[in-house]
């Protein structure tokens, strides 16, 4: 019993699936109606800001107050911290839609995402970065599945990053990120990368590992080989790079470093170790 | 390979897709997760599909594989934070419980041996064989589910078949144990 055909035949005879499920069972029909009654496109972005009560979704439960936290290696590189708006329910559980390659965004979506990121940073650190955020420019705006990542930059090395679940419009929107200014001189050389955010955050969808920061003028591409052996492509734009992956595989990267492949403007490639 | 109907209305398109793929998807999940959770997982997968309908591949076979890929990600990600897995193992039915084989002891014993060999096979190899045999996906479609190249999938499938053959040919036999007893002790995880 070694021929492929025999193996396939025997394998099919041991199928664990019951072959009874179909789209016409009461449960399947109920699920279909529930799915169709949900929004198929992201709802207008709104944030809960406890001090003003602004932005609570109509008909939803009051969202938990935004927590301001310093998490992982991000602390060492910036003077502020990491913002988390936990998702209560809905959204993209377990980052199911995440993709290793980023997709671009329309100008309209970029502007909306940037405004939301600025708004979310307004009260972080008792408002110490409000002015920086308001005058900041969009360096990166990308999508990975339903997840939007925005990096804002401004004078003095200011940067803010927001990773948002765009699909959670029905109930609440999950977000994580950081805001701050580098402690020292963060300007990288032409072929260098400098991480200002490197570590792991936790959201209701699970852990995610983030790497972001300034990129030298000759850097046009950054690729990270994930633990799943996926080539995770960073977005490199306007002197910044950013990528993230589901899971906690970069939790020790701030101290141990993590290798990435860098593509330079002249077409050559090299490696760089990110650390804080 | 047929083209998926592209109705102008999103809802109509989704309903067609739901009808067309539901049965295959619930079987996909039943083979890889606890059956009690299968309907919950399928509902979660279709919710993601509904929200990403614009990304739906045009060809039916590719769309089906794309949905399996979403299901795989959901099932794999459910493990993240506890035990990171790179592949989804495939469950087999209990050989002793497959009534259509009961009358033929040789076949039952083959099934029992097969079940033992299968459990010794790595999840990566189980997954490759499962997609090819149970889901009947071609190499590009199965590769899309796994996020690898078709060439890499063909290589993986070839290795999986070879590994399973080796296991079947070198499976240690229970010593001094009559066939009927051996059959009665068979279990599947």
């Amino acid at each position: 019993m070694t021929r492929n055909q025999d193996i396939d035949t025997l394998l099919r005879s041991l199928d664990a699936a019951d072959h009874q499920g179909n789209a016409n069972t009461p449960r399947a029909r109920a699920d279909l109606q529930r799915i169709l009654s949900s929004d198929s496109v992201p709802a207008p972005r709104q944030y809960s800001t406890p001090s003003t009560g602004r932005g609570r979704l109509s008909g939803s439960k009051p969202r938990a107050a935004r927590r301001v936290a310093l998490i992982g290696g991000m602390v060492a590189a910036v003077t502020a911290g990491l913002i988390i708006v936990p998702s209560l329910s809905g959204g993209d559980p377990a980052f199911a839609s995440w993709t290793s390659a980023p997709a671009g965004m329309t100008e309209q979506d970029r502007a909306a995402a940037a405004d939301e990121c600025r708004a979310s940073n307004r009260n972080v650190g008792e408002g110490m970065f409000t002015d920086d955020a308001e005058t900041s420019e969009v360096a990166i705006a990308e999508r990975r599945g339903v997840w939007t990542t925005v990096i804002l930059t401004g004078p003095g090395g200011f940067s803010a990053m927001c990773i948002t679940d765009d699909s959670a419009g029905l109930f609440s929107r999950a977000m994580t990120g950081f805001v701050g200014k580098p402690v020292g001189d963060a300007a990288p050389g032409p072929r260098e990368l400098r991480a200002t955010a490197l570590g792991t955050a936790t959201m209701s969808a699970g852990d995610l590992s983030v790497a972001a920061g300034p990129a030298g003028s000759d850097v046009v591409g950054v690729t990270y080989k994930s633990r799943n052996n996926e080539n995770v492509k960073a977005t490199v734009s306007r002197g910044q790079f950013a990528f993230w992956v589901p899971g906690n595989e970069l939790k020790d990267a701030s101290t141990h470093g993590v290798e990435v492949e860098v593509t330079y403007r002249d077409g050559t490639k090299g490696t760089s170790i990110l650390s804080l | 390979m047929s083209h998926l109907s592209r109705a102008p209305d999103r809802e109509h398109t989704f309903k067609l897709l739901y009808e067309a793929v539901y049965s295959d998807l619930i079987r996909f999940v039943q083979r890889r997760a606890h059956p009690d959770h299968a309907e919950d997982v399928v509902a979660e997968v279709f919710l993601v599909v509904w929200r990403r309908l614009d990304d739906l591949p045009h060809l039916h076979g590719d769309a089906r594989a794309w949905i399996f890929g979403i299901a795989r990600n959901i099932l794999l990600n459910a493990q993240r934070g506890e035990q990171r897995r790179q592949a989804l193992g495939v469950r087999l039915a209990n050989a002793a419980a497959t009534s259509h084989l009961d009358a033929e002891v040789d076949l039952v014993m083959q099934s029992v041996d097969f079940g033992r060999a299968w459990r010794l096979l790595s999840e990566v190899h189980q997954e490759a064989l499962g997609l090819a045999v149970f889901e009947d996906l071609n190499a590009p479609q199965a590769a899309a589910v796994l996020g690898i190249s078709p060439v890499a999938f063909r290589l993986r499938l070839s290795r999986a078949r070879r590994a399973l053959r080796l296991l079947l040919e070198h499976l240690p036999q229970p010593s001094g144990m009559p066939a009927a007893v051996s059959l009665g002790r068979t279990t599947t995880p």
Side-chain angles (χ1 to χ4, degrees):
Chain A
M1 210 274 298
T2 56
R3 289 190 309 128
N4 287 344
Q5 196 174 353
D6 294 336
I7 286 177
D8 292 357
T9 300
L10 197 41
L11 191 51
R12 287 194 185 95
S13 75
L14 293 172
D15 189 357
D18 66 12
H19 294 262
Q20 299 298 313
N22 63 71
N24 293 314
T25 64
R27 167 65 194 265
R29 287 186 171 280
D31 285 340
L32 175 61
Q33 290 310 311
R34 188 175 60 81
I35 292 166
L36 292 176
S37 65
S38 70
D39 285 341
S40 64
V41 293
R45 296 158 180 242
Q46 298 181 68
Y47 276 95
S48 165
T49 50
S51 59
T52 64
R54 183 181 75 84
R56 188 165 30 147
L57 291 174
S58 173
S60 67
K61 296 177 182 177
R63 185 185 298 165
R66 174 183 298 136
R67 287 182 287 145
V68 178
L70 301 173
I71 295 182
M74 299 182 188
V75 180
V78 295
T79 53
L82 189 139
I83 46 177
I84 300 174
V85 180
S87 172
L88 297 176
S89 57
D92 183 24
F95 305 109
S97 69
W98 177 88
T99 60
S100 57
M105 297 172 66
T106 65
E107 277 304 314
Q108 190 177 1
D109 287 345
R110 283 172 65 95
D115 286 345
E116 182 177 31
C117 192
R118 290 186 187 102
S120 68
N121 287 303
R122 208 167 273 147
N123 293 330
V124 174
E126 299 179 338
M128 66 188 293
F129 295 109
T130 300
D131 291 342
D132 292 295
E134 293 303 325
T135 58
S136 63
E137 295 184 345
V138 182
I140 286 175
E142 60 150 55
R143 279 195 204 282
R144 294 179 190 267
V146 300
W147 296 84
T148 295
T149 301
V150 171
I151 288 192
L152 305 172
T153 56
F158 169 82
S159 62
M161 180 184 204
C162 298
I163 302 174
T164 309
D165 176 359
D166 267 343
S167 70
L170 270 183
F171 305 100
S172 65
R173 198 180 299 283
M175 194 190 84
T176 189
F178 73 89
V179 59
K181 290 183 177 179
V183 176
D185 177 15
R191 293 168 77 88
E192 292 180 342
L193 299 174
R194 189 144 306 162
T196 51
L198 188 60
T200 299
T202 301
M203 305 176 74
S204 56
D207 292 339
L208 73 160
S209 293
V210 180
S217 56
D218 283 350
V219 176
V220 296
V222 176
T223 303
Y224 163 67
K225 178 78 82 178
S226 76
R227 198 180 288 173
N228 273 350
N229 217 28
E230 290 174 292
N231 287 319
V232 180
K233 293 188 180 306
T235 294
V236 180
S237 171
R238 300 191 181 186
Q240 296 282 318
F241 78 95
F243 69 84
W244 65 274
V245 294
N248 65 357
E249 61 193 76
L250 296 183
K251 66 183 169 66
D252 298 320
S254 60
T255 50
H256 297 159
V258 60
E259 185 176 289
V260 293
E261 183 185 78
V262 183
T263 304
Y264 300 106
R265 194 170 301 281
D266 60 8
T268 60
K269 293 180 185 292
T271 57
S272 178
I273 304 295
L274 301 177
S275 63
L276 294 178
Chain B
M1 190 174 289
S2 62
H3 284 263
L4 197 73
S5 172
R6 278 286 192 181
D9 176 57
R10 286 174 61 86
E11 187 170 316
H12 182 62
T13 301
F14 182 76
K15 281 180 177 174
L16 289 176
L17 184 70
Y18 194 83
E19 290 278 345
V21 181
Y22 191 97
S23 299
D24 286 348
L25 180 59
I26 200 160
R27 285 179 209 139
F28 177 93
V29 175
Q30 285 171 340
R31 291 169 186 132
R32 292 160 177 86
H34 195 287
D36 290 350
H37 302 151
E39 288 176 317
D40 293 338
V41 174
V42 168
E44 198 171 317
V45 172
F46 272 118
L47 185 61
V48 172
V49 172
W50 172 234
R51 288 171 171 162
R52 295 185 58 196
L53 203 57
D54 292 341
D55 299 333
L56 184 70
H58 288 231
L59 294 174
H60 177 272
D62 294 347
R64 184 170 166 267
W66 180 70
I67 293 171
F68 289 158
I70 291 173
R72 178 178 183 265
N73 284 341
I74 286 175
L75 291 170
L76 275 178
N77 286 335
Q79 307 291 326
R80 281 190 171 123
E82 297 172 10
Q83 177 190 1
R84 194 170 185 88
R85 297 167 68 192
Q86 296 187 355
L88 281 180
V90 177
R91 293 187 312 114
L92 293 186
N94 187 338
T98 51
S99 58
H100 63 288
L101 293 177
D102 281 351
E104 302 177 53
V105 172
D106 283 351
L107 280 179
V108 173
M109 286 312 299
Q110 270 194 350
S111 301
V112 170
D113 286 347
F114 194 92
R116 291 170 61 204
W118 185 260
R119 288 194 295 278
L120 294 172
L121 200 63
S122 72
E123 288 190 322
V124 170
H125 287 161
Q126 286 185 10
E127 186 169 52
L129 277 163
L131 291 173
V133 176
F134 287 131
E135 275 73 41
D136 201 22
L137 298 178
N138 61 31
Q141 291 164 349
V145 173
L146 301 177
I148 60 178
S149 70
V151 172
F153 176 77
R154 288 190 186 96
L155 186 62
R156 188 177 294 184
L157 180 62
S158 171
R159 286 174 175 164
R161 290 192 188 284
R162 188 166 67 237
L164 185 57
R165 278 199 302 270
L166 284 171
L167 284 169
L168 286 166
E169 288 164 6
H170 298 94
L171 205 60
Q173 296 299 319
S175 59
M177 198 170 284
V181 174
S182 173
L183 181 146
R185 289 162 63 91
T186 302
T187 57
T188 43

